[in-house]
Every structure is written in structure tokens, then in C-alpha cells.
Amino acid sequence: MQAYGKSFAKVYNLMWTGFARQVAPFLLDFYAATQPGQENKPVLDLCCGTAHLAVCFLEKGYRVVGLDLSEHMLHHARENARQYIEAGKATFIQGDARNFKMDERFGLVVSMYDSLNHLEDEAALLNCFQCVYEVSEGYFIFDLNTRLGLRRWNNILVDDSDEEVLILNRGVFDEQSERAWLKISGFLRLPNGLYERFEETVFNTAFKMEKVKQALLEVGWKTVYFARLQDLKAPIEEPELEGRVFVVASKV
Ligand SMILES: C[S@@+](CC[C@H](N)C(=O)[O-])C[C@H]1O[C@@H](n2cnc3c(N)ncnc32)[C@H](O)[C@@H]1O
């Protein structure tokens, strides 16, 4: 279980919004060119975090449901998407990506920023794929850190470039358990000038890309391929040579 805690959720909401902004234009372009996208079918943002990506889809007029394990992340998601919730265009629910059910059906399910690397093993990933399959009427796109990418976590990084926040990242990749751990800690300046300490330890599982593909096909997804963000329509042959890959699965 990796539901992000309260103080970390606050910092995440301020500091880790860049990835959502980076991926949004590519995901929006991809979806707009598909039939479910043209039919304006709703989008499910799995492990939605603070809803920065969800808001990009909402701004384009799609209905969005966000699901996350962390009530603290959802608190910020609901604040960030408040106007859309009030307009009935967005819903944010607490749930587990490994085991959820919904009545609503979605033209696109996305899960971004290595959220699915947070799952502990292949069985958990398979359960997640099954749950997504049940609610999907189209496409499922998620990104994964590869083994190559996770090896880069073997590092210590101090970011003091911002006066408001100091971030210390300590990462390690354990080849034996095929898991990378990252301890993120630091201080955030509060409006009263005092500093609040935050700390979160997360792990990413290094899934074998061939097994990921196999699991998706086993669940029933019709086509599955790996791609780079900049061209989500172009399959790549060697996903393990990338630091991060985007997995595109389709039911149609
Ligand atoms: C790296 S953050 C990514 C958030 C968001 N997708 C983004 O792009 O900013 C990972 C998110 O996954 C959530 N999470 C971790 N395990 C989960 C699970 N089993 N089910 C649902 N959410 C989970 C965490 O609470 C956190 O919000």
C-alpha cells in the first residue's frame, strides 16, 4: 500500500505538477484521434494524485473520474478540480487500483507518473489490468519506469533551488528484489515563515516489459504495444532500453 501521506501530499501538489503538464498534450492528441475520444466518452485517471492531469482533460470538455488510494492526495485533487466537481463533470473517489469496480464506462483510462510501478508484484498488476478491462470501452495508457530507469534511482539528490522548499531524495535499486526505494524528505515553508518537515518512502517495482504485455493480453486486451511519449501511436521494439515507457492497450 502506498497511499501518500498528508505532509507529502501538500508538497506533491506544489512541486510535482510538471509531469502531468508534460504528458497531457500527447494524451489529449492521442485520445482526440480515437473514436471514443470523438464520442466524448469519459476518462478515468487511475492513481490520479492531485488531479493536475485530470484538470487538463476537464479543460477540454471530457468528464473525468479520478481514483486514488490516498485521501490526502484526493483532498488536493478536489480543491484543484472544484469548479468541475460542482458542474458535475468530475468525481474523485478513494479506491485501490488493484481492486475496484465502477458502473461507469470509460473511453480512456490513464495512469501516469509511474503510478503502476507502485504495485508490489505481477499478481497485483494483473488484478489492476482486470479491473481496468471491466470499466474500459477503448484505450488504457500508462507509463512505467523500466529496470534501466529504476537503476538511476541509485542516487542522492538535494534540491535547494526553491526558497520555499528543500527536497532531499535518497534512492536505491535492489537488484535482488527488483525494487527501487526512494526516501523523499525535506522542509516546506509555511505562510507564517516556519518550516514544516515532510517525509515519504516509496517503492517502484521493476516489472519485466514482456510480462506486462503478456498479462494485458491474458486479461483480454486486443492490442498492446510500448511507445514513447512523443509518439504514442508508434510501437517501439525494445522497451527495456528506455528509462520510461508508455504502454498502450486497446480493447477496440
Ligand atoms: C507518483 S504519484 C502520481 C500521481 C498522478 N498520477 C500524477 O501524474 O501526478 C502516485 C499516486 O498513486 C497513488 N497510489 C499508490 N498506490 C495506489 C493504489 N494501489 N491504488 C490507487 N492509488 C495508488 C498514490 O497515492 C499517488 O497519488
Side-chain angles (χ1 to χ4, degrees), residues 1-4 12 16 19-20 45-50 53 67-70 73 95-98 111-115 118-119:
M1 294 268 280
Q2 292 203 77
Y4 288 7
Y12 191 100
W16 278 282
F19 192 79
D45 187 355
L46 195 63
C47 309
C48 62
T50 50
L53 178 62
L67 179 143
D68 201 280
L69 199 55
S70 163
M73 295 294 268
D96 192 330
R98 296 166 296 185
S111 189
M112 287 293 130
Y113 214 177
D114 45 82
S115 291
H118 287 54
L119 303 185

Side-chain angles (χ1 to χ4, degrees), residues 102-144:
M102 284 177 197
D103 292 332
E104 195 164 349
R105 295 293 174 259
F106 302 92
L108 175 66
V109 181
V110 289
S111 189
M112 287 293 130
Y113 214 177
D114 45 82
S115 291
L116 297 190
N117 285 108
H118 287 54
L119 303 185
E120 65 276 21
D121 55 24
E122 281 164 15
L125 198 62
L126 188 71
N127 287 347
C128 169
F129 292 166
Q130 184 72 55
C131 294
V132 175
Y133 188 81
E134 300 301 327
V135 299
S136 168
E137 280 182 343
Y139 295 86
F140 178 25
I141 306 182
F142 57 98
D143 70 303
L144 286 175

